[in-house]
Amino acid sequence: MTNKGKQFIEQTLENHKLKWDNYILPVRITVWTWKICALYNEKPQGLFYRAYRYTFNFFLMAVYLFTLILNMFVMQTFEQLVLYIMYIVFTEVVMVLKAVITYYKFDQICRLHQMTLCENFKPQDDLETELHRKAIGVIKYYYYLYFIISCAAVSSALLYLLQKEYRTPFFPWMFGIEYGPEARGNYGIIFAYQIIGMYFHMLINVSGDEQLCYLLGKISIQLDLLANRFQRLRSSQEFERAFAGLVDHYEQLLKMLRDVEKLYSPAFFAQFSASGLVICATAVKASSMFNLSELTAFQNLLYMIAMMLQMYLPCHFGNEVTRKSNVLKTAVYSSQWYNMRLKERKIILMLLQRLNKPFTMTAYYFFNYNLQAYTTTLNMAYTAYALLQRTTTKI
């Protein structure tokens, strides 16, 4: 490793001491989510926070998930059983995986985040500053959109309060406690518990997705900046001065991408595996009850949109990383290599051969993070939906 590479590592370790205030707002919101949802695992932890973590994990994780699983054994119809398995259980499994990764890999996540603030990652002139600003704007836009729609999907469960059947938002049975017109107090407590529990689970899901999208977005930005720096090489002197640092930066980005891939593969492998079924189940549920008298159909529509966004975001940012790594090869060729000495031309030729293999990110080598994977998942969901609708119509 070159001296610049060693300086990069030292700078990264130093940046690890930086405060979260230096990050963009979506990352700071994620950090607050970690703290509220008992996932913030920075050492040392105070006695009060540890007590809060145990309380939160018991009442809003363990009890909630245990009750949800028990509901599978008290469903009255096969349709309800299939709905709860596809519509909720799969989502909760993915949420638990994201929570476990965040808590037990907290130091690694922080280290990856801190790398994005090191000196190598900062824009060097006005053009790079503008490229950086626009790319950060894209990350913020998608985060706010996803966060608002997810909040709306959970909040739409309040529509059940407009009905007279005393229905609960997510699961009808809870340890045999009676509720209804004769026990309105119990109904209010159970209703509030389910809404609060699902809201916190939504926050954990959104924060896990935001972590991945932020890191992929920052890698994508750096590929833009790297392409700009390669393209501006005009002479052998500039090449000798900048080439080693640029190659080091490229290798650091590749290593960072592999670290991100290894870190998030379990959760997003499960998410890719389940998303098609969840979207299909949500579409069937929404279409079967979509009429003016059934307000809760909007809950299913919002939930389906949130699930589609949850799938789209990693695919979008992963696709951008692959696309911009391909553009990098064009940027290297677009430099004024023809004005350089033969030695530099040979080095550039070897670099172009190295760049023939673009950056790609996969979930356990099964699912690629790109738009093709997203459209394939949606196509599978639509096929299953059409089949279920046709079967229902014939019956």
Side-chain angles (χ1 to χ4, degrees), residues 43 73 84 108 185 190 198 206 212 235 252 303 334-335 391:
K43 304 293 189 301
F73 300 98
Y84 271 80
Q108 187 176 348
I190 293 173
M198 186 55 71
V206 171
L212 176 63
S235 65
Q252 290 153 12
Y303 186 85
S334 299
S335 66
T391 303

PDB file of all heavy atoms in Angstrom, residues 43 73 84 108 185 190 198 206 212 235 252 303 334-335 391:
ATOM      1  N   LYS A  43     -19.860   2.131  22.702  1.00  0.00           N
ATOM      2  CA  LYS A  43     -19.381   1.902  24.061  1.00  0.00           C
ATOM      3  C   LYS A  43     -18.686   3.164  24.584  1.00  0.00           C
ATOM      4  O   LYS A  43     -18.067   3.891  23.820  1.00  0.00           O
ATOM      5  CB  LYS A  43     -18.399   0.719  24.073  1.00  0.00           C
ATOM      6  CG  LYS A  43     -18.954  -0.572  23.502  1.00  0.00           C
ATOM      7  CD  LYS A  43     -20.068  -1.133  24.370  1.00  0.00           C
ATOM      8  CE  LYS A  43     -20.459  -2.540  23.912  1.00  0.00           C
ATOM      9  NZ  LYS A  43     -20.912  -2.662  22.549  1.00  0.00           N
ATOM     10  N   PHE A  73     -51.694 -19.206  14.744  1.00  0.00           N
ATOM     11  CA  PHE A  73     -52.338 -20.440  15.189  1.00  0.00           C
ATOM     12  C   PHE A  73     -53.788 -20.241  15.603  1.00  0.00           C
ATOM     13  O   PHE A  73     -54.472 -21.194  15.948  1.00  0.00           O
ATOM     14  CB  PHE A  73     -51.543 -21.036  16.360  1.00  0.00           C
ATOM     15  CG  PHE A  73     -50.123 -21.370  16.014  1.00  0.00           C
ATOM     16  CD1 PHE A  73     -49.097 -20.505  16.329  1.00  0.00           C
ATOM     17  CD2 PHE A  73     -49.819 -22.548  15.342  1.00  0.00           C
ATOM     18  CE1 PHE A  73     -47.789 -20.806  16.000  1.00  0.00           C
ATOM     19  CE2 PHE A  73     -48.513 -22.858  15.012  1.00  0.00           C
ATOM     20  CZ  PHE A  73     -47.487 -21.991  15.345  1.00  0.00           C
ATOM     21  N   TYR A  84     -51.247 -13.295   6.709  1.00  0.00           N
ATOM     22  CA  TYR A  84     -50.351 -12.930   7.797  1.00  0.00           C
ATOM     23  C   TYR A  84     -48.935 -13.444   7.560  1.00  0.00           C
ATOM     24  O   TYR A  84     -47.963 -12.798   7.944  1.00  0.00           O
ATOM     25  CB  TYR A  84     -50.890 -13.450   9.136  1.00  0.00           C
ATOM     26  CG  TYR A  84     -51.809 -12.459   9.786  1.00  0.00           C
ATOM     27  CD1 TYR A  84     -53.129 -12.353   9.371  1.00  0.00           C
ATOM     28  CD2 TYR A  84     -51.351 -11.613  10.784  1.00  0.00           C
ATOM     29  CE1 TYR A  84     -53.981 -11.435   9.942  1.00  0.00           C
ATOM     30  CE2 TYR A  84     -52.207 -10.687  11.368  1.00  0.00           C
ATOM     31  CZ  TYR A  84     -53.517 -10.593  10.945  1.00  0.00           C
ATOM     32  OH  TYR A  84     -54.348  -9.670  11.508  1.00  0.00           O
ATOM     33  N   GLN A 108     -18.643  -1.489  12.868  1.00  0.00           N
ATOM     34  CA  GLN A 108     -18.315  -1.558  11.442  1.00  0.00           C
ATOM     35  C   GLN A 108     -19.146  -0.560  10.639  1.00  0.00           C
ATOM     36  O   GLN A 108     -18.643   0.080   9.714  1.00  0.00           O
ATOM     37  CB  GLN A 108     -18.560  -2.978  10.926  1.00  0.00           C
ATOM     38  CG  GLN A 108     -18.089  -3.207   9.503  1.00  0.00           C
ATOM     39  CD  GLN A 108     -18.260  -4.660   9.073  1.00  0.00           C
ATOM     40  OE1 GLN A 108     -18.522  -5.543   9.889  1.00  0.00           O
ATOM     41  NE2 GLN A 108     -18.120  -4.898   7.783  1.00  0.00           N
ATOM     42  N   GLY A 185     -61.751   0.037  27.027  1.00  0.00           N
ATOM     43  CA  GLY A 185     -60.429   0.345  27.567  1.00  0.00           C
ATOM     44  C   GLY A 185     -59.374  -0.625  27.060  1.00  0.00           C
ATOM     45  O   GLY A 185     -58.285  -0.217  26.654  1.00  0.00           O
ATOM     46  N   ILE A 190     -54.826  -2.095  23.457  1.00  0.00           N
ATOM     47  CA  ILE A 190     -54.299  -3.004  22.434  1.00  0.00           C
ATOM     48  C   ILE A 190     -54.068  -2.272  21.124  1.00  0.00           C
ATOM     49  O   ILE A 190     -53.051  -2.466  20.451  1.00  0.00           O
ATOM     50  CB  ILE A 190     -55.266  -4.194  22.234  1.00  0.00           C
ATOM     51  CG1 ILE A 190     -55.303  -5.062  23.498  1.00  0.00           C
ATOM     52  CG2 ILE A 190     -54.871  -5.022  21.028  1.00  0.00           C
ATOM     53  CD1 ILE A 190     -56.345  -6.165  23.460  1.00  0.00           C
ATOM     54  N   MET A 198     -45.765  -1.214  15.646  1.00  0.00           N
ATOM     55  CA  MET A 198     -45.521  -1.224  14.213  1.00  0.00           C
ATOM     56  C   MET A 198     -44.758   0.021  13.767  1.00  0.00           C
ATOM     57  O   MET A 198     -43.931  -0.043  12.845  1.00  0.00           O
ATOM     58  CB  MET A 198     -46.847  -1.329  13.441  1.00  0.00           C
ATOM     59  CG  MET A 198     -46.692  -1.495  11.947  1.00  0.00           C
ATOM     60  SD  MET A 198     -45.651  -2.898  11.475  1.00  0.00           S
ATOM     61  CE  MET A 198     -46.704  -4.282  11.906  1.00  0.00           C
ATOM     62  N   VAL A 206     -36.717   1.393   8.023  1.00  0.00           N
ATOM     63  CA  VAL A 206     -36.293   2.567   7.247  1.00  0.00           C
ATOM     64  C   VAL A 206     -34.846   2.915   7.548  1.00  0.00           C
ATOM     65  O   VAL A 206     -34.068   3.243   6.644  1.00  0.00           O
ATOM     66  CB  VAL A 206     -37.224   3.762   7.540  1.00  0.00           C
ATOM     67  CG1 VAL A 206     -36.675   5.042   6.922  1.00  0.00           C
ATOM     68  CG2 VAL A 206     -38.625   3.488   7.004  1.00  0.00           C
ATOM     69  N   LEU A 212     -27.802   1.568   4.084  1.00  0.00           N
ATOM     70  CA  LEU A 212     -27.287   0.994   2.839  1.00  0.00           C
ATOM     71  C   LEU A 212     -27.293   2.024   1.714  1.00  0.00           C
ATOM     72  O   LEU A 212     -26.304   2.171   0.989  1.00  0.00           O
ATOM     73  CB  LEU A 212     -28.111  -0.228   2.449  1.00  0.00           C
ATOM     74  CG  LEU A 212     -27.745  -0.876   1.109  1.00  0.00           C
ATOM     75  CD1 LEU A 212     -26.316  -1.416   1.136  1.00  0.00           C
ATOM     76  CD2 LEU A 212     -28.715  -1.996   0.765  1.00  0.00           C
ATOM     77  N   SER A 235      -1.220  15.687 -19.114  1.00  0.00           N
ATOM     78  CA  SER A 235       0.191  15.558 -19.464  1.00  0.00           C
ATOM     79  C   SER A 235       0.840  14.475 -18.610  1.00  0.00           C
ATOM     80  O   SER A 235       0.270  14.006 -17.613  1.00  0.00           O
ATOM     81  CB  SER A 235       0.913  16.893 -19.237  1.00  0.00           C
ATOM     82  OG  SER A 235       0.918  17.228 -17.862  1.00  0.00           O
ATOM     83  N   GLN A 252      -9.824   1.762  -2.681  1.00  0.00           N
ATOM     84  CA  GLN A 252     -10.524   1.994  -1.415  1.00  0.00           C
ATOM     85  C   GLN A 252     -12.040   1.919  -1.609  1.00  0.00           C
ATOM     86  O   GLN A 252     -12.760   1.366  -0.764  1.00  0.00           O
ATOM     87  CB  GLN A 252     -10.122   3.347  -0.841  1.00  0.00           C
ATOM     88  CG  GLN A 252      -8.688   3.396  -0.338  1.00  0.00           C
ATOM     89  CD  GLN A 252      -8.104   4.783  -0.376  1.00  0.00           C
ATOM     90  OE1 GLN A 252      -8.813   5.773  -0.577  1.00  0.00           O
ATOM     91  NE2 GLN A 252      -6.791   4.875  -0.185  1.00  0.00           N
ATOM     92  N   TYR A 303     -49.119   0.632   2.049  1.00  0.00           N
ATOM     93  CA  TYR A 303     -48.142  -0.394   2.443  1.00  0.00           C
ATOM     94  C   TYR A 303     -47.461  -0.971   1.202  1.00  0.00           C
ATOM     95  O   TYR A 303     -46.249  -1.197   1.198  1.00  0.00           O
ATOM     96  CB  TYR A 303     -48.859  -1.488   3.225  1.00  0.00           C
ATOM     97  CG  TYR A 303     -47.938  -2.536   3.816  1.00  0.00           C
ATOM     98  CD1 TYR A 303     -47.323  -2.334   5.045  1.00  0.00           C
ATOM     99  CD2 TYR A 303     -47.691  -3.727   3.148  1.00  0.00           C
ATOM    100  CE1 TYR A 303     -46.476  -3.286   5.584  1.00  0.00           C
ATOM    101  CE2 TYR A 303     -46.844  -4.687   3.682  1.00  0.00           C
ATOM    102  CZ  TYR A 303     -46.244  -4.456   4.903  1.00  0.00           C
ATOM    103  OH  TYR A 303     -45.401  -5.398   5.439  1.00  0.00           O
ATOM    104  N   SER A 334     -11.035   9.264 -21.958  1.00  0.00           N
ATOM    105  CA  SER A 334     -11.255  10.640 -22.416  1.00  0.00           C
ATOM    106  C   SER A 334     -10.174  11.598 -21.938  1.00  0.00           C
ATOM    107  O   SER A 334     -10.196  12.783 -22.305  1.00  0.00           O
ATOM    108  CB  SER A 334     -12.622  11.139 -21.925  1.00  0.00           C
ATOM    109  OG  SER A 334     -13.670  10.346 -22.447  1.00  0.00           O
ATOM    110  N   SER A 335      -9.255  11.130 -21.106  1.00  0.00           N
ATOM    111  CA  SER A 335      -8.129  11.984 -20.716  1.00  0.00           C
ATOM    112  C   SER A 335      -7.218  12.192 -21.929  1.00  0.00           C
ATOM    113  O   SER A 335      -7.331  11.483 -22.940  1.00  0.00           O
ATOM    114  CB  SER A 335      -7.334  11.328 -19.581  1.00  0.00           C
ATOM    115  OG  SER A 335      -6.717  10.134 -20.032  1.00  0.00           O
ATOM    116  N   THR A 391     -57.837 -17.069 -10.425  1.00  0.00           N
ATOM    117  CA  THR A 391     -58.352 -18.197  -9.659  1.00  0.00           C
ATOM    118  C   THR A 391     -59.560 -17.766  -8.816  1.00  0.00           C
ATOM    119  O   THR A 391     -60.573 -18.473  -8.752  1.00  0.00           O
ATOM    120  CB  THR A 391     -57.253 -18.764  -8.729  1.00  0.00           C
ATOM    121  OG1 THR A 391     -56.133 -19.129  -9.542  1.00  0.00           O
ATOM    122  CG2 THR A 391     -57.759 -19.978  -7.976  1.00  0.00           C
TER     123      THR A 391
END
